Amino acid sequence: MQTKHSILIIDDETEILTMLNRFLARSGKYDVTTYSNPILALDTLKNRTYDIVLLDIMMPQMNGLDVLEKIMQNDSNQKVMMMTAFSTLDKVLKAHKQGATNYVMKPFESLQILEKKVLEILQS
């Protein structure tokens, strides 16, 4: 039996969490955990590792770049893909500098493209 990749998704939009969870879990290749509250997600990351974290940049409780910084302080090898609807070159560069592996724009061009990026990161 093939091992499932563990994915943690942190996004304040429950519709995004539901859509990504359904899409990724449907393939049977992923074990998906979702959090709408980044502070709770950070608590989980203290005790558990994931193959990849999908992280929204703009959230009301805590900025995704601040969350990324805390994730990297906890585990500098954690693979993180940023998700944003409000991309500026400066945020993308900052996220990359802080350790983000890649990023994807919302709304997603297609879920298949998002999964392709996830697989590329997992295989790197």
Side-chain angles (χ1 to χ4, degrees):
M1 185 173 131
Q2 184 179 345
T3 306
K4 290 184 179 184
H5 290 288
S6 59
I7 299 178
L8 173 63
I9 306 171
I10 308 168
D11 195 309
D12 60 305
E13 295 179 59
T14 54
E15 304 82 26
I16 297 281
L17 293 175
T18 302
M19 176 184 62
L20 290 176
N21 187 12
R22 283 187 184 148
F23 176 77
L24 293 168
R26 187 178 328 156
S27 73
K29 295 186 265 185
Y30 309 103
D31 177 24
V32 181
T33 304
T34 62
Y35 279 95
S36 59
N37 183 324
I39 297 160
L40 295 176
L42 284 170
D43 284 343
T44 297
L45 280 164
K46 289 177 187 170
N47 305 309
R48 173 156 184 217
T49 59
Y50 291 86
D51 294 324
I52 187 170
V53 176
L54 305 183
L55 175 61
D56 188 25
I57 290 181
M58 301 296 288
M59 295 179 286
Q61 305 94 333
M62 189 175 190
N63 179 300
L65 293 173
D66 295 334
V67 175
L68 175 63
E69 185 177 352
K70 291 189 180 304
I71 289 171
M72 289 298 135
Q73 286 170 356
N74 185 53
D75 179 0
S76 61
N77 294 316
Q78 177 64 64
K79 294 178 179 182
V80 179
M81 183 165 71
M82 305 302 290
M83 303 183 296
T84 183
F86 309 100
S87 180
T88 64
L89 183 58
D90 136 39
K91 282 186 183 166
V92 169
L93 290 173
K94 185 171 183 179
H96 184 69
K97 226 181 252 186
Q98 286 179 226
T101 312
N102 205 332
Y103 79 99
V104 65
M105 293 295 298
K106 294 190 307 187
F108 305 117
E109 185 178 336
S110 85
L111 292 176
Q112 289 75 15
I113 290 174
L114 178 130
E115 184 183 21
K116 184 177 180 219
K117 283 188 175 193
V118 166
L119 285 170
E120 286 171 2
I121 293 168
L122 290 171
Q123 293 166 356
S124 66

